[in-house]
Amino acid sequence: MNGRHLLLILAHLFRKKGGTMDIEDAVEFLSFRCRYARPSVVRRMLTLALSKGMIEIDDDQIKSNFLFDQQDLSPNQVHIFKQEISVDRSVKPLR
Protein backbone atom coordinates (compact mmCIF):
# COMPACT_ATOMS: atom_id res chain seq x y z
CA MET A 1 0.00 0.00 0.00
CA ASN A 2 1.47 3.34 -0.98
CA GLY A 3 0.58 6.95 -0.22
CA ARG A 4 -1.99 7.23 -2.99
CA HIS A 5 -3.81 4.15 -1.71
CA LEU A 6 -3.72 5.51 1.83
CA LEU A 7 -5.25 8.81 0.71
CA LEU A 8 -8.01 7.10 -1.26
CA ILE A 9 -8.87 4.73 1.60
CA LEU A 10 -9.02 7.58 4.12
CA ALA A 11 -11.08 9.74 1.75
CA HIS A 12 -13.54 6.87 1.31
CA LEU A 13 -13.71 6.33 5.08
CA PHE A 14 -14.38 9.98 5.90
CA ARG A 15 -16.90 10.41 3.08
CA LYS A 16 -18.92 7.44 4.30
CA LYS A 17 -18.60 7.99 8.07
CA GLY A 18 -18.17 11.77 8.37
CA GLY A 19 -15.26 13.94 9.49
CA THR A 20 -14.94 12.48 13.00
CA MET A 21 -15.44 8.90 14.19
CA ASP A 22 -14.41 6.35 16.78
CA ILE A 23 -11.20 4.44 16.04
CA GLU A 24 -12.92 1.07 16.51
CA ASP A 25 -15.68 2.08 14.07
CA ALA A 26 -13.08 3.07 11.49
CA VAL A 27 -11.17 -0.20 11.89
CA GLU A 28 -14.38 -2.25 11.70
CA PHE A 29 -15.59 -0.36 8.62
CA LEU A 30 -12.32 -0.60 6.69
CA SER A 31 -11.54 -4.19 7.71
CA PHE A 32 -14.87 -5.97 7.66
CA ARG A 33 -17.25 -3.88 5.58
CA CYS A 34 -14.84 -2.64 2.89
CA ARG A 35 -12.35 -5.51 3.26
CA TYR A 36 -9.32 -3.32 2.59
CA ALA A 37 -7.09 -5.23 5.00
CA ARG A 38 -6.92 -7.10 8.31
CA PRO A 39 -7.58 -5.00 11.42
CA SER A 40 -3.88 -4.97 12.36
CA VAL A 41 -2.94 -3.60 8.92
CA VAL A 42 -5.69 -0.96 9.15
CA ARG A 43 -4.34 0.09 12.56
CA ARG A 44 -0.83 0.38 11.06
CA MET A 45 -2.28 2.47 8.26
CA LEU A 46 -3.96 4.79 10.80
CA THR A 47 -0.69 5.06 12.75
CA LEU A 48 1.12 6.05 9.58
CA ALA A 49 -1.60 8.56 8.65
CA LEU A 50 -1.32 10.05 12.15
CA SER A 51 2.47 10.35 11.93
CA LYS A 52 2.21 12.02 8.50
CA GLY A 53 -0.36 14.59 9.65
CA MET A 54 -3.29 13.23 7.67
CA ILE A 55 -5.44 12.57 10.76
CA GLU A 56 -5.65 13.71 14.38
CA ILE A 57 -6.62 11.65 17.41
CA ASP A 58 -8.51 13.06 20.37
CA ASP A 59 -9.24 10.38 22.99
CA ASP A 60 -10.65 7.55 20.85
CA GLN A 61 -11.86 9.76 18.01
CA ILE A 62 -10.06 10.26 14.71
CA LYS A 63 -10.49 13.40 12.64
CA SER A 64 -9.39 14.20 9.11
CA ASN A 65 -6.64 16.81 8.61
CA PHE A 66 -7.35 17.12 4.89
CA LEU A 67 -10.45 18.09 2.91
CA PHE A 68 -11.64 14.56 2.18
CA ASP A 69 -14.44 15.74 -0.12
CA GLN A 70 -11.85 17.19 -2.49
CA GLN A 71 -8.80 15.14 -1.45
CA ASP A 72 -7.12 18.52 -0.94
CA LEU A 73 -3.66 18.22 0.61
CA SER A 74 -1.30 20.77 2.04
CA PRO A 75 2.08 21.24 0.24
CA ASN A 76 4.01 19.24 2.83
CA GLN A 77 1.53 16.35 2.55
CA VAL A 78 2.06 16.34 -1.22
CA HIS A 79 5.82 16.14 -0.57
CA ILE A 80 5.24 13.17 1.75
CA PHE A 81 3.38 11.32 -1.02
CA LYS A 82 6.24 11.93 -3.41
CA GLN A 83 8.46 10.05 -0.96
CA GLU A 84 6.24 6.96 -1.34
CA ILE A 85 4.54 6.23 1.94
CA SER A 86 4.38 2.51 2.50
CA VAL A 87 2.67 0.56 5.25
CA ASP A 88 4.78 -2.37 6.34
CA ARG A 89 5.50 -4.38 9.49
CA SER A 90 7.85 -1.73 10.91
CA VAL A 91 4.83 0.52 11.59
CA LYS A 92 3.21 -0.37 14.92
CA PRO A 93 -0.59 -0.70 15.00
CA LEU A 94 -2.61 2.15 16.50
CA ARG A 95 -3.70 1.28 20.05
Side-chain angles (χ1 to χ4, degrees):
M1 179 181 312
N2 64 24
R4 184 176 302 148
H5 296 137
L6 180 59
L7 174 64
L8 292 174
I9 289 169
L10 289 175
H12 178 72
L13 171 69
F14 288 118
R15 283 180 184 158
K16 290 289 187 179
K17 294 289 192 172
T20 303
M21 75 200 71
D22 187 62
I23 293 171
E24 292 302 319
D25 290 343
V27 171
E28 186 272 331
F29 180 76
L30 292 175
S31 294
F32 300 112
R33 305 238 4 213
C34 297
R35 298 185 182 193
Y36 283 125
R38 294 186 318 266
S40 61
V41 174
V42 170
R43 289 181 184 280
R44 283 189 197 110
M45 180 192 73
L46 292 174
T47 300
L48 189 59
L50 177 66
S51 70
K52 300 300 180 184
M54 298 174 73
I55 62 173
E56 287 180 1
I57 294 183
D58 185 27
D59 292 327
D60 284 340
Q61 299 285 314
I62 61 173
K63 178 183 166 205
S64 173
N65 270 355
F66 65 98
L67 298 175
F68 51 89
D69 289 340
Q70 302 168 6
Q71 296 177 15
D72 188 19
L73 300 171
S74 68
N76 36 332
Q77 287 176 327
V78 170
H79 178 70
I80 289 167
F81 281 124
K82 287 182 181 176
Q83 294 176 349
E84 290 293 322
I85 293 174
S86 64
V87 180
D88 56 19
R89 293 197 181 273
S90 67
V91 177
K92 294 187 180 189
L94 186 68
R95 298 180 195 212

